[in-house]
């Protein structure tokens, strides 16, 4: 198994802890719920189960193979949702970081088992013409991971039925930013529905948006 060194492990662990703290500070997650990971060579670093983010240290972040095998002895138990993270990394080579949270408005939609249609062009931020809601499965199971992978086809984010949301990106900052953006869209969609059924953009209109998004927000020399 190809793995970077201990210094890289500590540095990435620190960034994961910082992302967890920022996730809760942003209001998209509460308490110990949610989880964060990052690809680490041929493995991944993922938050442990049931540990307060305020108490997390960089070396508490659990190093797992993508099959769920612990890479180091004496580690804490990984998040019960490690399968979702691992399956994203296996299915999507471009994924470098994953954020799973229980934001209020995404979760409200999840409990109605509804996704976010193209009521606003910014839905394209997740990679397609809508943000899907997965089928329901019990948390921590392979069945949940399987339905999540299906909902993420050609997308970078999805809502998880009766659960929350999950997204991935090219790094931790972008993954957290996408999670915040998706929750903002869920909030806007909720409010729009209070006024009646929103007007949904057509596939042709969204195709034009998706083409423009290929260069949207990108600056020369920036990732």
């Amino acid at each position: 198994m190809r793995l970077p060194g201990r210094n890289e492990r500590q540095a990435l662990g620190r960034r994961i802890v910082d992302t967890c703290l920022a996730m809760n500070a942003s209001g998209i997650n509460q308490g110990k719920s949610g989880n964060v990971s990052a690809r680490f060579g041929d493995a991944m670093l993922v938050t442990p189960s049931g540990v307060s983010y305020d108490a997390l240290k960089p070396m508490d972040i659990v190093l797992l193979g993508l099959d769920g095998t612990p890479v180091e002895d004496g580690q804490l138990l990984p998040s019960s949702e490690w399968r979702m993270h691992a399956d994203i990394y296996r299915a999507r080579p471009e994924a470098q970081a994953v954020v799973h949270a229980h934001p209020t408005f995404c979760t409200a939609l999840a409990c109605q088992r509804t996704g976010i249609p193209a009521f606003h062009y910014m839905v394209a931020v997740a990679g397609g013409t809508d943000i899907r809601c997965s089928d329901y499965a019990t948390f921590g199971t392979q069945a949940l991971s399987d339905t999540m992978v299906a909902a993420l086809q050609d997308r970078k984010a999805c809502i998880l039925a009766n659960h929350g949301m999950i997204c991935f990106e090219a790094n931790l900052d972008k993954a957290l930013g996408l999670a915040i953006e998706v929750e903002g869209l869920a909030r806007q969609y909720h409010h729009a529905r209070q006024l009646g059924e929103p007007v949904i953009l057509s596939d042709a209109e969204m195709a034009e948006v998706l083409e423009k998004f290929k260069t949207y927000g990108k600056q020369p020399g920036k990732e």
Side-chain angles (χ1 to χ4, degrees):
M1 181 182 292
R2 179 183 60 86
L3 294 174
R6 182 179 175 84
N7 288 343
E8 289 85 354
R9 187 216 193 288
Q10 176 121 6
L12 187 54
R14 176 77 264 168
R15 291 198 294 276
I16 291 173
V17 172
D18 290 343
T19 301
C20 291
L21 294 171
M23 177 173 69
N24 277 19
S26 74
I28 68 164
N29 198 66
Q30 304 81 38
K32 300 175 186 176
S33 64
N35 29 77
V36 175
S37 73
R39 194 187 292 272
F40 190 67
D42 295 330
M44 67 176 180
L45 285 166
V46 62
T47 46
S49 178
V51 179
S52 170
Y53 295 140
D54 290 331
L56 273 183
K57 299 178 178 61
M59 295 304 288
D60 291 334
I61 306 302
V62 183
L63 182 57
L64 286 183
L66 298 186
D67 61 355
T69 302
V71 176
E72 298 172 338
D73 294 332
Q75 297 187 104
L76 297 171
L77 293 175
S79 166
S80 61
E81 304 290 18
W82 67 264
R83 289 175 181 82
M84 290 199 295
H85 296 255
D87 283 351
I88 287 175
Y89 294 130
R90 280 198 293 260
R92 305 294 290 271
E94 72 273 28
Q96 296 296 318
V98 174
V99 169
H100 166 51
H102 301 166
T104 299
F105 287 92
C106 282
T107 303
L109 293 179
C111 293
Q112 293 184 319
R113 301 196 183 182
T114 185
I116 306 175
F119 81 104
H120 191 287
Y121 74 87
M122 281 299 292
V123 166
V125 75
T129 59
D130 61 3
I131 298 172
R132 303 184 187 104
C133 181
S134 74
D135 293 333
Y136 176 75
T138 305
F139 82 94
T141 62
Q142 187 60 51
L144 173 59
S145 189
D146 291 344
T147 191
M148 172 210 68
V149 169
L152 282 174
Q153 185 175 358
D154 301 320
R155 303 287 189 273
K156 296 189 291 185
C158 73
I159 290 170
L160 303 167
N162 300 87
H163 191 148
M165 64 81 61
I166 194 164
C167 67
F168 70 85
E169 255 291 3
N171 58 51
L172 286 162
D173 287 343
K174 288 185 175 183
L176 178 60
L178 179 56
I180 292 170
E181 188 80 55
V182 171
E183 171 64 355
L185 287 163
R187 182 176 64 251
Q188 292 163 0
Y189 182 50
H190 166 79
H191 287 310
R193 289 171 73 189
Q194 307 315 299
L195 303 174
E197 278 304 309
V199 176
I200 304 302
L201 296 173
S202 69
D203 287 346
E205 287 167 330
M206 284 302 294
E208 185 176 355
V209 170
L210 287 164
E211 183 62 30
K212 291 175 72 68
F213 260 55
K214 291 178 181 178
T215 56
Y216 176 80
K218 293 180 179 168
Q219 297 293 337
K222 299 291 185 181
E223 185 180 313

